[in-house]
Amino acid sequence: DTVAELWADSPATTLPGTLWRLFLVREWIRRDPALVARRYATVIDLSALSAGADGTDSTDSTDGGALSRFEAARAEARPVPSPEDLRAALDRVLAGQTADVVSLTPILRTTAAFLRALAVGSDAVWIDDDADELADRVTRRDSALLATAAELAEASRRAASGRLD
């Protein structure tokens, strides 16, 4: 926690700023598993609704905005891990079990996809309680999940090319 706090003001496209964002995601999953699980379940529910059980389009019975957000996220065709699986992967990264910065690329992409998926079926505000220990400029801004996902996607591009300092 103490080291992570040192990273809090680092820009998103730096290694410390990226690690801070990964820390926040992991802590959010750890501290509020029920909320994260509900948001994750919404993604699963939307997936089932987008193509009815009989294979027909069932958009008539869903919120059009939520469904269009889901379709946009699904178009990226990235699998989204369960919250538990993502937390385990983030635990490994934050424990220093990665070989180098380039090896962060897959977890950065996965975490970005996870955040985009959670934003699909619900409000994209991440932390909405000022008293929450994770309330931060990263987690309280409008569309925090989507903005953090975009930052992690950019960090993954930089990590892949060796430019995440």
Side-chain angles (χ1 to χ4, degrees):
D1 289 353
T2 303
V3 172
E5 284 296 322
L6 295 173
W7 301 332
D9 293 325
S10 300
T13 56
T14 65
L15 181 58
T18 297
L19 291 173
W20 168 247
R21 283 152 179 80
L22 293 178
F23 173 81
L24 287 174
V25 172
R26 185 200 57 183
E27 288 302 294
W28 182 44
I29 294 169
R30 185 179 72 79
R31 293 179 186 183
D32 202 352
L35 173 64
V36 176
R38 277 194 313 275
R39 287 183 177 211
Y40 184 78
T42 300
V43 172
I44 301 305
D45 289 346
L46 283 173
S47 180
L49 288 173
S50 92
D54 60 358
T56 61
D57 182 18
S58 61
T59 56
D60 296 341
S61 63
T62 62
D63 170 4
L67 190 57
S68 66
R69 291 190 305 273
F70 171 75
E71 291 298 336
R74 190 171 70 167
E76 293 186 27
R78 290 198 179 105
V80 177
S82 70
E84 298 81 18
D85 290 344
L86 181 61
R87 179 180 169 198
L90 292 173
D91 285 344
R92 288 188 297 277
V93 167
L94 294 169
Q97 297 176 3
T98 52
D100 55 26
V101 173
V102 174
S103 65
L104 288 174
T105 303
I107 190 66
L108 294 172
R109 287 182 183 150
T110 298
T111 306
F114 180 82
L115 294 176
R116 281 191 299 271
L118 291 190
V120 164
S122 59
D123 183 10
V125 173
W126 183 349
I127 304 293
D128 58 9
D129 180 3
D130 286 330
D132 192 303
E133 292 178 42
L134 298 178
D136 180 87
R137 61 183 168 70
V138 170
T139 63
R140 295 298 314 272
R141 59 194 165 175
D142 290 344
S143 301
L145 291 171
L146 296 173
T148 302
E151 290 166 351
L152 291 173
E154 176 59 26
S156 76
R157 288 187 287 278
R158 287 175 175 262
S161 66
R163 297 182 298 124
L164 186 63
D165 300 325

